[in-house]
Amino acid sequence: MLIAKMSMNRNKDKVVLTIKDDSPFSYLQEDVLVEILIRVPISDWEHISSVRKQWADLFRGEGLWQAALNRAYPLASKTQRWTGPIRQGSSKRRFMALYISKNILGVETDIDEMLGHIYLFLKDQLQLSTTPASGVLHGTMIDQLIVSGKSKEEADELVTKIWLALLDNIEDTKHTFLVLKSIAQEYDGFLPYPYSRPIKVQWKVFEKLFVDFRDLLFDHSDFRHYLIFVITSLALFVLSISPSLAQAKDGGHVSLLVSETGLDLAKDFLIHKVISTTLPLQLPEIEKKVKIPLVGKVQMGLKNIKIYAVDVRSSRVETGGDGIVLSVSGATADVSMDWSYAYKASFFHIADHGVASVKVKGMDLRTTVSLVGENGSLKIASRDSDCKVKSIGIHINGGASWLYQGVVDAFEKKIITTVEETVSNKILEKMKKLDAKLQSLPKEGKIDDNVAVNLTFTGSPVLDDSSVEVGINGLFMANGDGDKKVSGSISSFLTPRVKRMVGISIEEEVFNSATLVYFIAKRMHVDIQETKNGSALSTSDWKLILPELYKQYPNVKMMLNMTVTSPPAVNITKNGIDAIIDLEISIDVQNSGAVLSVARISVVLDVGGTAEIAANNLAGSLRLKGFNATMTWSKLGDLQANYIQDVVSTILESLFLPYVNTRLMRGFPLPFTHGFKIKNTEIVYVENGVMVCSDVAFG
């Protein structure tokens, strides 16, 4: 009977419900009215919420949705809150999630409400003006299910089901077209399984682009261009999943290019290291019987032969098809030794001994090595060393003149041969140790207890006539995830000539992998209870910015809980670094010993980034370019938009960004060996990456 009092105004095909002010509905208590409204078919709720302001307020509040939740899904009250990046939210959100789980996804599992929330999360993200990378969204959803106890295979199957259901039900608008077009053009090779989008999802995206948008967005003259785009993107997608190109997707995301001047420094360091760790170099003993005129046969011996000093006058390093060649020419060496002789004369046995020194002149050394990548390490595949000595000068302390000539005649060639063979063998021995050291380099660098960097080498070094370039995976990962076979090649996103000793190229994917891993590790959350000067946050500090907060809770402690709700998307161009951050700010107060949540604000930040060098680390800072804030829930009443903007601006500028920048300025390590330090650094921004050009010094 009450429903009969409602009338319908028809405007063409649109039905608008109205109600007279003297209707009995205006006299009903809210709890009775709620019970009536939740029994109306759900399909009519959008219409009846516009009948009266009172009804609209009911649909915006918690009470109606809590009642609807209890009536339609009575077991929902027993659902425990879960952890993970995708939370439950309000009663309205929970009702929508359960409705989607039952009616769209068609699933009844022990986490059916969670699946609905994941669906809503994906839908919300795809509706943003700047949509995060679909691979990142897929990884976030996978992570939520894994945190809840699902295996990777189960999580992948469920998330694929959610993707397909959403793509089937998404509205065909121009924004949807642009989002799907962006997804079709994405390359998600940098994300490890299971964070890459399933093939079924990618096919569905192409199907919608090919079928659903032809008549909506294009006239017949433009359709040909649209068709070319779809076919080209589809062809690239097919190529990307071809087994013949599987290795290319594993290319390095960080490359280290050592220029000619850098190679000279490495050469000098290596020569110094070899000499300092080799000398004194012991040579084998030499013995020989020599026939001396007027004396007869003399047994001569040289022992305790040592090279104790080497002076390198000229050296060079060459790179190319034969590998890396290190040449030393015209070097000299100082050798010490003990001499002795013995012979019989008539009935006498004559013997003597003493010391001698040898000056090795014109020593040339050529060492060649070839490097290959194998299972994420560098390996010396072949090595060769050749040493040639032009001449030596021998000085004997003590002994007769015949002894000098006898030693020279007997031992000159033997000493030269011994020096050449011993030095060559020692260099090969050093190369063997270097090979072992290269293969023992750590394959991951620990950043903290949760996060590490993948330091595996990808492919073999690239050599040209003046430089060497090696590729490193470089992606951030959870600690312990690096024990995987790695193959591939050096990324070609930038391989310029550098004027400094080294150039380190870091792809955009490295930064996005860092935000993803830290997000999954639940490290993008901060609770702030103090100001920058160390005093406790109080509502009295906010009475001018948020007077309603101070009015309801005067002079009490307050807390700000800030959580990043999805992995920030980093974009690098020639103009610098940009990022989009989705942030949820919860304002809590401490009232009579209890902590109360009084407001929650959803913020989308547009930030710019600057890269800097701190010691041997790549550091940086963020600056606020703009933001969009929405009050999602409040006990403070309807706040004016300018109040919300002022509150968020104060929180971001004075608390959030200073906290984030303090962490970013600590930096993350660049791939340099211990014992070196960088100087004269220049940072260059390029499309999809950052390049650090620097000189290097011992220190």
Side-chain angles (χ1 to χ4, degrees), residues 594-622:
V595 176
L596 304 177
S597 183
V598 297
R600 187 172 293 124
I601 306 171
S602 178
V603 188
V604 179
L605 288 77
D606 181 8
V607 298
T610 301
E612 303 175 37
I613 296 297
N616 279 12
N617 291 347
L618 180 65
S621 60
L622 299 180

Side-chain angles (χ1 to χ4, degrees), residues 82-87 101 105 107 109-119 121-122 136-163 193-195 198 519-520 522:
W82 55 77
T83 59
I86 303 173
R87 304 298 180 89
S101 294
L105 299 178
V107 295
T109 69
D110 55 339
I111 54 171
D112 51 359
E113 181 181 343
M114 182 186 295
L115 296 181
H117 283 286
I118 294 174
Y119 181 100
F121 163 80
L122 180 59
V136 174
L137 296 178
H138 187 78
T140 303
M141 295 186 290
I142 289 284
D143 179 62
Q144 179 61 66
L145 290 169
I146 290 176
V147 167
S148 302
K150 292 295 181 182
S151 67
K152 287 185 177 181
E153 291 74 18
E154 291 173 325
D156 195 50
E157 181 180 351
L158 289 170
V159 171
T160 300
K161 187 181 185 74
I162 291 171
W163 267 110
Y193 177 85
Y195 300 107
F519 178 80
I520 292 175
K522 304 176 183 64

Side-chain angles (χ1 to χ4, degrees), residues 52 101 103 208 238 323 374 431 570 583:
R52 296 176 64 93
S101 294
N103 297 280
K208 287 192 69 67
V238 172
E374 185 177 279
M431 291 300 102
V570 179
L583 185 68

Side-chain angles (χ1 to χ4, degrees), residues 564 566-569 579-583 603-607 622 656-657 660:
V564 175
S566 65
I580 300 297
I581 303 175
D582 295 320
L583 185 68
V603 188
V604 179
L605 288 77
D606 181 8
V607 298
L622 299 180
F656 178 73
L657 286 178
V660 173

